[in-house]
Amino acid sequence: TLDEMKTIKDINYQLMEALFAYKSLDERDEQITPYVIEETKNNMTRFKSDYDQNDTSSLLISSEAFVAKSFNSNEINVINDVVSELTFNKEAQKQHMYVKVKYVKDTGEWRAKSFNFSKYVED
């Protein structure tokens, strides 16, 4: 329904903010909690690298979302075109990437189950 699509787009925008606008990776992990299923959050936390994560931050510059039709009423895919600026060890780098998010109904709420990140390389 249109209301459900609006809900998905709102949740998706908030998730992109949480994923790409943070002062530390710990802050990012805390921010994404309401938008991802528990298994996904646990996987993201488990696969963090060992580098100094307190010196990592990100700024969301722009985000555009495209909702993909799904044949499963309990699953929706959203493709995001994201531009952000990642700062690590005081060096900032602009990033342009596509982020595919698979949302599923989890206890009556739409939450992200999986992410696919594809870096966009300009010629």
Side-chain angles (χ1 to χ4, degrees), residues 2-110:
L2 287 176
D3 286 341
E4 198 152 51
M5 287 298 136
K6 183 179 178 340
T7 299
I8 287 287
K9 286 190 94 169
D10 289 345
I11 291 168
N12 183 74
Y13 177 77
Q14 293 167 10
L15 177 58
M16 291 303 107
E17 281 275 323
L19 280 172
F20 293 99
Y22 56 86
K23 294 180 181 148
S24 71
L25 291 177
D26 287 338
E27 179 186 74
R28 182 197 64 189
D29 290 348
E30 191 175 309
Q31 290 178 164
I32 67 168
T33 298
Y35 309 109
V36 299
I37 64 173
E38 191 68 27
E39 177 186 352
T40 301
K41 180 162 192 292
N42 291 341
N43 286 340
M44 288 180 74
T45 302
R46 189 173 64 230
F47 292 116
K48 274 192 205 174
S49 66
D50 294 332
Y51 65 82
D52 181 10
Q53 298 170 6
N54 291 325
D55 197 21
T56 302
S57 63
S58 181
L59 172 68
L60 179 64
I61 297 170
S62 69
S63 175
E64 190 173 1
F66 305 91
V67 178
K69 186 174 180 176
S70 176
F71 295 104
N72 180 343
S73 62
N74 291 322
E75 183 179 294
I76 293 178
N77 292 305
V78 178
I79 309 298
N80 296 277
D81 184 356
V82 177
V83 178
S84 66
E85 183 176 272
L86 179 68
T87 302
F88 178 67
N89 285 338
K90 297 184 175 91
E91 288 188 36
Q93 179 180 12
K94 191 174 180 181
Q95 299 184 111
H96 187 179
M97 66 178 66
Y98 300 113
V99 182
K100 178 183 174 191
V101 184
K102 179 184 287 187
Y103 288 94
V104 295
K105 280 270 182 138
D106 182 55
T107 61
E109 299 289 326
W110 287 103

